[in-house]
């Protein structure tokens, strides 16, 4: 599946700046999931799903019901939307929608949310705190999208956040199958289904400073090199005890700045951004490095990165996946880079040629045991 548009122009003029509509970004688009399969997935205990009704019997007219669902008859034929998060982690075909967007950093990719909307279904005008590409599947939807502007948010129903009042729309269009809408974080938007339709939202993390600092603080507590204590700058007996002197404030800021600029903090950030959204499924029995050559040599053997997993390179000797550090020696570097660039399923022949060293086999075994990649036999 190929996304047809000028990526350089997009990155220069639109990415995280302003919304844009890519007409027929995916020509001859075929839905990777049907409404029936999506509805069935929302019946599963582990799926994160909800139905949003826009003409409910409530004071605001809005109602959110969380799954798992037993049936959908009570919602009627119009005015509701089913949303299921992280469908890419359940259905590999949906996960393939991420591949065309890998011209952006892997660690930024969050998940693929899929929604099915009946006629007039929608979630109301709102803001998202992440960047998103919305791919129109079957059916059609009318979208209004604005650039960033001052908006007031409120909750018309529990677990539903919308914006008050009207917003100035720079995009006001009907989307049909294959159209792609890009919406930067913080831009108001509202989509209403014109007929039963499917939408695929490829979301990108946009963490706040507070969120990153909170995660960094938690993980830094385990880092011995960051346990250094603050020391006062030169004090004077004339200083007033209840005044925070400028020199003291500067010293505190520099103390934190030194920590943030250290090599240790770079490694900690790599651990944080390599973490998967949900725990990765680990194999029942551990794989050993000695088993790898035989496993890779199996007929019809394929290797695939687990949906939601990340394997990121920080330097030639440092790779990170599932929140763990992988120290890679030179002879295993080609293997590590091959695993990092892995998209979808790949036959194991090429990896088998690279993984001739003990270190390469150890790395493959470790990523399998961590749940980052898995090996399977195609018996079809």
């Amino acid at each position: 599946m190929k996304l047809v548009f000028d990526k350089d122009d997009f990155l220069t003029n639109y990415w995280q700046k302003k919304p844009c509509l890519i007409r027929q970004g995916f020509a001859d688009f075929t839905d990777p999931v049907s409404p029936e399969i999506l509805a069935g997935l929302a019946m599963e205990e582990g799926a994160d799903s909800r139905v949003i009704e826009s003409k409910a019997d409530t004071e605001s007219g809005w109602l959110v019901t969380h799954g798992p669902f037993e049936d959908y008859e009570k919602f009627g034929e119009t005015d509701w939307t089913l949303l299921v998060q992280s469908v890419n982690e359940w259905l590999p075909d949906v996960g393939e929608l991420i591949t065309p967007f890998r011209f952006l950093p892997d660690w930024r990719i969050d998940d693929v949310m899929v929604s099915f909307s009946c006629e007039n279904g929608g979630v109301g005008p709102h803001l998202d705190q992440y960047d998103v590409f919305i791919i129109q599947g079957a059916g059609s939807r009318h979208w209004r999208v604005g650039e960033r502007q001052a908006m007031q948010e409120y909750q018309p129903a529990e677990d539903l956040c919308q914006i008050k009042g009207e917003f100035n729309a720079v995009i006001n269009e009907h989307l049909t199958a294959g159209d792609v809408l890009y919406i930067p974080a913080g831009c108001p938007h509202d989509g209403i289904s014109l007929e039963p339709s499917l939408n695929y939202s490829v979301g990108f993390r946009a963490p706040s400073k507070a969120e990153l600092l909170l995660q960094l603080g938690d993980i830094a507590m385990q880092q011995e090199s960051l346990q250094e204590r603050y020391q006062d700058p030169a004090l004077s007996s004339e200083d007033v005890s209840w005044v925070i002197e400028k020199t003291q404030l500067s010293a505190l800021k520099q103390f934190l700045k030194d920590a943030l600029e250290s090599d240790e903090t770079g490694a900690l950030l790599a651990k944080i951004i390599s973490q998967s959204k949900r725990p990765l499924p680990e194999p029942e029995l551990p794989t050993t490095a000695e088993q790898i050559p035989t496993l890779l040599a199996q007929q019809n053997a394929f290797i695939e990165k687990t949906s939601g997993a990340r394997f990121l390179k920080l330097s030639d000797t440092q790779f990170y996946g599932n929140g763990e550090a992988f120290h890679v020696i030179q002879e295993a570097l080609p293997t590590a880079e091959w695993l990092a660039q892995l998209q979808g399923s790949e036959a194991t022949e090429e990896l088998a040629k690279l993984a001739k060293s003990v270190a390469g086999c150890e790395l493959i075994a470790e990523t399998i045991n961590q749940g980052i990649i898995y090996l399977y036999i195609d018996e079809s």
Side-chain angles (χ1 to χ4, degrees):
M1 186 177 295
K2 186 176 181 182
L3 178 60
V4 181
F5 79 130
D6 187 331
K7 296 180 179 65
D8 290 326
D9 176 68
F10 171 79
L11 291 171
T12 300
N13 297 306
Y14 296 97
W15 176 243
Q16 296 195 308
K17 297 181 181 74
K18 57 184 179 181
C20 73
L21 174 58
I22 307 166
R23 285 290 187 191
Q24 290 303 286
F26 292 106
D28 303 318
F29 182 80
T30 301
D31 286 284
V33 64
S34 67
E36 293 77 16
I37 294 295
L38 186 69
L41 177 57
M43 294 179 174
E44 297 290 337
E45 189 66 38
D48 183 358
S49 60
R50 57 198 164 121
V51 165
I52 299 179
E53 298 175 77
S54 54
K55 289 188 178 179
D57 186 18
T58 62
E59 183 177 348
S60 68
W62 293 91
L63 180 64
V64 178
T65 306
H66 290 274
F69 299 97
E70 294 184 358
D71 62 67
Y72 301 89
E73 291 184 7
K74 65 179 181 180
F75 299 120
E77 299 292 328
T78 62
D79 306 301
W80 61 272
T81 294
L82 168 67
L83 303 103
V84 186
Q85 297 288 152
S86 301
V87 178
N88 55 297
E89 297 181 12
W90 294 81
L91 303 174
D93 287 349
V94 173
E96 290 181 8
L97 292 176
I98 291 175
T99 300
F101 298 100
R102 287 192 73 191
F103 64 94
L104 296 163
D106 274 0
W107 74 267
R108 290 290 311 282
I109 297 171
D110 192 22
D111 70 353
V112 182
M113 182 187 73
V114 183
S115 65
F116 169 75
S117 298
C118 296
E119 183 181 350
N120 291 325
V123 302
H126 64 284
L127 305 173
D128 289 324
Q129 299 308 318
Y130 52 83
D131 301 288
V132 64
F133 292 89
I134 300 176
I135 305 165
Q136 179 65 47
S140 60
R141 187 184 287 258
H142 179 235
W143 281 98
R144 296 177 62 252
V145 186
E147 295 188 348
R148 293 187 183 96
Q149 51 200 272
M151 304 296 303
Q152 184 179 356
E153 295 184 281
Y154 77 111
Q155 285 192 320
E158 187 175 358
D159 296 327
L160 180 65
C161 195
Q162 295 181 351
I163 52 178
K164 285 185 176 181
E166 288 297 317
F167 62 86
N168 298 320
V170 293
I171 294 175
N172 191 351
E173 301 283 350
H174 291 182
L175 270 64
T176 57
D179 290 338
V180 180
L181 182 63
Y182 166 66
I183 306 174
C187 289
H189 53 284
D190 184 21
I192 300 175
S193 190
L194 303 174
E195 57 185 320
S197 62
L198 285 163
N199 282 90
Y200 307 85
S201 299
V202 182
F204 287 75
R205 299 172 172 181
S208 68
K209 292 177 182 177
E211 290 167 339
L212 278 177
L213 286 171
L214 181 62
Q215 291 178 288
L216 187 60
D218 285 341
I219 197 170
M221 291 299 294
Q222 307 163 26
Q223 195 75 10
E224 186 176 345
S225 61
L226 292 175
Q227 300 308 313
E228 177 189 353
R229 297 288 177 175
Y230 167 80
Q231 290 188 321
D232 287 313
L235 299 179
S236 167
S237 61
E238 308 242 338
D239 291 342
V240 180
S241 64
W242 43 265
V243 173
I244 302 173
E245 301 288 347
K246 288 183 179 179
T247 54
Q248 297 169 17
L249 193 59
S250 295
L252 277 170
K253 288 181 179 180
Q254 188 62 49
F255 185 65
L256 290 174
K257 189 181 295 184
D258 290 344
L260 288 173
E261 292 178 350
S262 70
D263 291 340
E264 291 88 345
T265 301
L268 294 181
L269 285 171
K271 284 186 176 184
I272 290 169
I273 64 178
S274 73
Q275 287 177 342
S276 303
K277 192 173 183 180
R278 291 176 176 78
L280 298 179
E282 297 179 9
E284 293 182 9
L285 296 174
T287 299
T288 65
E290 292 75 19
Q291 294 173 304
I292 294 300
T294 302
L295 292 172
L296 296 180
Q298 294 177 101
Q299 189 173 7
N300 297 325
F302 287 81
I303 199 161
E304 186 168 326
K305 193 176 291 177
T306 305
S307 292
R310 296 168 177 81
F311 193 61
L312 309 171
K313 178 181 177 180
L314 185 63
S315 71
D316 282 349
T317 60
Q318 292 178 293
F319 284 72
Y320 291 83
N322 199 22
E324 299 291 336
F326 293 76
H327 297 286
V328 177
I329 64 175
Q330 187 62 37
E331 60 185 356
L333 181 57
T335 299
E337 291 181 338
W338 192 93
L339 294 173
Q341 63 78 40
L342 180 61
Q343 301 181 49
S345 295
E346 292 282 350
T348 57
E349 286 93 343
E350 185 178 349
L351 182 58
K353 295 175 185 176
L354 293 173
K356 295 294 187 181
S357 67
V358 172
C361 291
E362 288 176 343
L363 177 62
I364 295 169
E366 193 174 357
T367 52
I368 290 175
N369 293 332
Q370 285 279 353
I372 296 169
I373 62 169
Y374 62 94
L375 190 146
Y376 67 96
I377 305 298
D378 185 359
E379 298 178 346
S380 58

